Amino acid sequence: MRIAFASGKGGAGKTTVAASLAAIWPHPCLIVDADVEAPNLHLFLHPHLEAAQSVYLTVPELDSEKCTACGDCAAMCSYKAIAKLGAGLIVFADMCHGCGGCFEVCQANALKKGKRELGSLQWGSWSLKMGADQNSDQNLNQALGQTSSQTSGKNSGKTLLMGKSRVGEAMSPPLLRAIDGALAAISVGDAASVPDILIDSPPGVSCPAMTTARMADALVLVAESTPFGTYDFKLAHAAFKKLNMPLAVVMNRAGMPGNESGDAALEKYCAAEGLPLLARLPFDLQAAEAYARGYLPLLEQSANALIWQRRFGLLYDAVQRWAGGKIGQIAEPCSAVNICASGTTGAGHA
Amino acid sequence: MKIAVSSEGPGLESQVDPRFGRAAGFVIVDMESMNTEYVDNGASQVMAQGAGIETAERLSALGVGAVLSGYVGPKAFTALQAAGMQIYQDLDGRSVGDAVRCYAGGTLNPATASNK
């Protein structure tokens, strides 16, 4: 199953929630950093990264000897990547969105297929040492309410896929589609060999965030209950609910001093919209301090590591119930209809 | 020769629009007859990208030989050069008429690189 973690506002806690869940995920699991303009999962998960694979967009290159300057390509380009100026044409390759239309309309065969680098994909393996003492596996299993035999061997050897936009590249959706292609390539075969995929989305509600959400089967919105956070969360909900996919909410920084009414307002909104509230993660200054040093709250370097392991263990349980048993056992992307039919997502996605 | 001045309004008394690609419009002056006409550039103002390129195309199609403006972006500059036009920058802060007089007086130097 593919679950994306998104938010309207940046800094709501997507990376913390996605990475922490990946750390305790008791099934084969791939975590994807789809925030390609500012990837940061690798700063927390410390993967052993393999060589970066460049991703390219096919863009036109003009063969001026063959070009008859008819202007058909310039006329069809909505992005001004080709302009007719004076007697000739000129190509602005960095304006190109890669639709390929110019190649189709050129009768003179004067456009060659060039390429522009969009960025790169990079695979890595990682594992984190969890817990506040040496018995981290045991603590983890307690947190998950499982015996060690259930999770032993499954909890190590995790994989990360990072997308990284080229500095100066204006578009990220084509690179995100390359991530989607890479995920499709590993999502074949028997169910047991296909990992669950957790996707750390770009923030906001524009093309990068929507493109990423479309890769997933279900979407978890991480929401901060401050006035600013709630405003952006509502924007995000309004945008993502149009995708007709299962949506759920994780409230982050609950109980922030002075923001009690914010927590209540966010809960009321979720209830009114039929959005399952999977967890209320509390505001914890020590967790923020550990995070600022590059440690997830559930790692041994964090002051309240065991408590945070338990919290994320409970969140995992809630995600599993919400997903209606689709985690850790399916190869086919589960349809929104199936999950909605399980009755866990309320009436908000008809 | 016709010259085009990026303009906030339709006449010689209007202020030079500092923007080239997203200028409100252009006052086109025929330097032989000194007749003027106004070309609206609103369609390019609202473009997500490529405003400067489209504006250069528009002026090129009108047979303009020189452009007077405030700031010309790098892509627009390339496009105007490809169209064989001369480019005069940093002419904002005065009226279109004053800019045309400066040009006619022969004291302006054409730009060799984008100033934006």
Side-chain angles (χ1 to χ4, degrees):
Chain A
M1 177 168 192
R2 298 183 186 183
I3 304 174
F5 296 83
S7 70
K9 175 185 168 297
K14 294 178 297 297
T15 300
T16 304
V17 171
S20 299
L21 276 175
I24 61 158
W25 205 259
H27 305 285
C29 162
L30 165 66
I31 187 159
V32 178
D33 200 338
D35 189 4
V36 299
E37 290 173 52
N40 64 346
L41 271 177
H42 60 293
L43 302 177
F44 297 96
L45 302 180
H46 305 287
H48 297 286
L49 289 168
E50 295 171 11
Q53 308 157 18
S54 289
V55 176
Y56 299 95
L57 187 73
T58 298
V59 299
E61 259 177 32
L62 190 68
D63 183 340
S64 47
E65 291 189 1
K66 289 184 183 170
C67 180
T68 59
C70 70
D72 286 353
C73 55
M76 81 84 55
C77 182
S78 298
Y79 303 103
K80 309 311 293 181
I82 307 179
K84 187 177 181 186
L85 291 155
L89 285 111
I90 181 166
V91 174
F92 294 91
D94 52 345
M95 307 291 270
C96 177
H97 284 221
C99 77
C102 54
F103 299 110
E104 298 296 322
V105 299
C106 181
Q107 301 289 324
N109 201 24
L111 293 173
K112 292 180 292 188
K113 291 193 172 169
K115 61 184 186 181
R116 178 177 98 226
E117 187 181 7
L118 296 164
S120 64
L121 301 187
Q122 214 162 356
W123 294 89
S125 58
W126 58 280
S127 61
L128 291 175
K129 193 175 175 194
M130 273 180 294
D133 58 32
Q134 288 79 17
N135 301 317
S136 59
D137 280 351
Q138 195 186 333
N139 289 327
L140 170 64
N141 291 326
Q142 284 172 357
L144 291 169
Q146 290 166 322
T147 64
S148 59
S149 64
Q150 279 177 290
T151 56
S152 105
K154 286 183 176 174
N155 196 36
S156 56
K158 297 183 185 273
T159 314
L160 173 143
L161 173 60
M162 172 169 67
K164 197 174 182 179
S165 208
R166 174 178 59 83
V167 173
E169 171 58 48
M171 285 194 299
S172 60
L175 180 60
L176 293 167
R177 285 191 280 275
I179 290 179
D180 199 27
L183 298 184
I186 64 158
S187 299
V188 293
D190 65 290
S193 67
V194 175
D196 290 319
I197 297 173
L198 307 182
I199 304 170
D200 191 12
S201 299
V205 292
S206 62
C207 298
M210 301 306 283
T211 305
T212 303
R214 285 199 175 97
M215 293 181 205
D217 305 312
L219 192 69
V220 173
L221 288 165
V222 182
E224 181 191 276
S225 59
T226 58
F228 183 18
T230 301
Y231 180 85
D232 281 3
F233 162 69
K234 288 177 181 174
L235 285 183
H237 178 229
F240 290 123
K241 73 180 176 186
K242 290 186 178 4
L243 298 179
N244 287 320
M245 64 196 295
L247 301 177
V249 178
V250 169
M251 188 197 294
N252 194 20
R253 302 193 190 99
M256 201 185 296
N259 191 45
E260 292 76 13
S261 62
D263 293 356
L266 186 60
E267 286 184 19
K268 192 176 164 191
Y269 179 86
C270 291
E273 294 289 328
L275 285 167
L277 190 52
L278 300 179
R280 292 168 187 78
L281 302 175
F283 175 68
D284 176 349
L285 194 59
Q286 288 173 306
E289 286 170 353
Y291 187 86
R293 293 196 307 273
Y295 301 113
L296 295 171
L298 47 58
L299 294 188
E300 60 185 356
Q301 291 89 346
S302 187
N304 300 318
L306 290 181
I307 299 171
W308 278 103
Q309 281 179 36
R310 183 148 297 137
R311 286 179 185 133
F312 281 110
L314 292 170
L315 174 55
Y316 170 77
D317 291 343
V319 169
Q320 192 182 39
R321 281 194 301 275
W322 171 58
K326 304 279 185 191
I327 284 169
Q329 48 183 282
I330 59 147
E332 302 287 318
C334 56
S335 74
V337 174
N338 285 343
I339 290 189
C340 285
S342 72
T344 54
T345 56
H349 315 292
Chain B
M1 187 175 75
K2 287 201 281 190
I3 67 168
V5 188
S6 61
S7 176
E8 293 177 355
L12 291 170
E13 72 290 349
S14 303
Q15 285 293 109
V16 172
D17 195 324
R19 304 161 298 177
F20 171 73
R22 294 183 193 278
F26 287 84
V27 175
I28 313 285
V29 184
D30 185 318
M31 294 307 289
E32 279 80 52
S33 67
M34 291 311 282
N35 288 334
T36 66
E37 61 174 313
Y38 181 69
V39 176
D40 186 84
N41 199 46
S44 294
Q45 278 189 310
V46 299
M47 290 181 75
Q49 65 170 56
I53 297 169
E54 184 177 83
T55 302
E57 282 185 307
R58 181 172 293 120
L59 299 180
S60 173
L62 291 169
V64 168
V67 166
L68 278 56
S69 188
Y71 299 91
V72 181
K75 293 192 188 73
F77 199 95
T78 302
L80 290 170
Q81 279 189 318
M85 282 187 251
Q86 287 186 313
I87 304 153
Y88 297 87
Q89 298 171 151
D90 300 315
L91 288 164
D92 50 319
R94 71 193 82 197
S95 71
V96 172
D98 284 345
V100 174
R101 276 188 284 281
C102 289
Y103 173 79
T107 56
L108 300 178
N109 293 316
T112 54
S114 164
N115 64 345
K116 193 179 165 205

